[in-house]
């Protein structure tokens, strides 16, 4: 079984990529669900300020690998029936924990888009829209406070998402094909 983690900055298209993986038989585990559940449990409004506060609190309480630790049971349960796509791995510590847990079965896919493209998407998205200022502030916080650069730099695959949804689907298709080839090679090596 495979665990594929989607990494990238806010607005790059991680959720779209995860949706395409899901459409291709992967079970999705969205790390951000932990934040939204905690906001709801505390009776707070769902907004950027409260999301950032909760993310930072969870990392203070559980360490920088918080989201990987808190989502391991969801990943393991999902792996019993299908491959898993993780939507929204953030920190280097999350990356190293998942790599340690899943070894060769763990792959990262970075989704990249320019800041101007990403900020435009965040302003116009239907759920949890941000202002340009909030988007820029989130970029800064994610780079400086969550060690987000490492997983992006170490990704096994990088998808440039500056074009159409159709082009994004083609790029994800290429990654899915490469992962399938990798699985077949691994199976053949194991049978020797």
């Amino acid at each position: 079984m495979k665990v594929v983690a989607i990494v990238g900055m806010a607005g790059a298209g991680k959720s779209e990529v995860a949706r395409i993986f899901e459409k291709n038989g992967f079970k999705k585990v969205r790390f951000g669900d932990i934040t939204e559940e905690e906001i709801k449990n505390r009776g707070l409004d769902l907004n950027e300020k409260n999301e950032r506060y909760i993310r930072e609190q969870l990392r203070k309480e559980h360490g920088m690998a918080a989201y990987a630790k808190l989502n391991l049971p969801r990943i393991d349960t999902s792996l019993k029936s299908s491959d898993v796509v993780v939507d929204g791995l953030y920190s280097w510590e999350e990356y190293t924990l998942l790599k340690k847990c899943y070894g060769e079965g763990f792959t990262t896919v970075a989704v990249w888009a320019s800041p101007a493209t990403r900020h435009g998407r965040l302003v116009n998205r239907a759920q949890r829209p941000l202002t340009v200022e909030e988007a820029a502030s989130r970029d800064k916080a994610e780079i400086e406070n969550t060690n987000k650069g490492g997983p992006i730099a170490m990704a096994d695959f990088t998808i440039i998402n500056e074009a159409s949804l159709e082009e994004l689907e083609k790029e994800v298709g290429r990654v899915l094909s490469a992962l399938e080839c990798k699985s077949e090679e691994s199976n053949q090596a194991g049978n020797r």
Side-chain angles (χ1 to χ4, degrees), residues 1-168:
M1 292 299 208
K2 295 184 278 288
V3 176
V4 177
I6 311 300
V7 301
M9 299 299 290
K14 297 182 299 295
S15 293
E16 280 298 321
V17 170
R19 182 190 60 74
I20 298 166
F21 269 85
E22 197 173 19
K23 195 167 82 173
N24 282 276
F26 284 69
K27 172 77 175 165
K28 181 172 75 171
V29 174
R30 183 176 170 267
F31 274 15
D33 288 348
I34 297 285
T35 302
E36 291 179 15
E37 289 166 11
E38 189 63 24
I39 286 172
K40 184 178 177 183
N41 289 342
R42 294 185 188 198
L44 300 171
D45 291 333
L46 185 61
N47 58 44
E48 175 60 23
K49 180 182 171 189
N50 289 336
E51 286 181 53
R52 183 180 298 182
Y53 171 75
I54 294 298
R55 285 192 301 266
E56 290 173 1
Q57 288 300 110
L58 289 172
R59 288 191 177 99
K60 281 180 187 173
E61 185 178 335
H62 299 280
M64 289 301 289
Y67 284 83
K69 287 178 189 174
L70 295 170
N71 278 290
L72 280 175
R74 294 176 190 198
I75 295 169
D76 290 340
T77 297
S78 297
L79 278 172
K80 291 176 183 175
S81 61
S82 70
D83 294 326
V84 173
V85 61
V86 171
D87 181 359
L89 181 142
Y90 276 60
S91 73
W92 178 249
E93 293 80 0
E94 291 167 354
Y95 170 89
T96 57
L97 177 66
L98 293 180
K99 188 72 170 167
K100 180 181 174 186
C101 289
Y102 303 110
E104 292 299 313
F106 178 67
T107 302
T108 52
V109 177
V111 184
W112 185 91
S114 68
T117 298
R118 292 185 301 95
H119 295 174
R121 290 175 182 156
L122 292 169
V123 166
N124 293 311
R125 72 180 177 184
Q127 295 180 340
R128 302 178 348 267
L130 302 178
T131 65
V132 172
E133 294 78 18
E134 287 171 330
S137 175
R138 182 168 178 174
D139 283 352
K140 186 176 186 302
E142 288 181 353
I143 291 168
E144 293 177 354
N145 302 334
T146 66
N147 303 335
K148 198 168 189 179
I152 296 170
M154 295 303 292
D156 299 292
F157 300 94
T158 299
I159 294 171
I160 306 298
N161 185 19
E162 288 282 326
S164 67
L165 186 55
E166 181 179 271
E167 188 59 35
L168 179 63

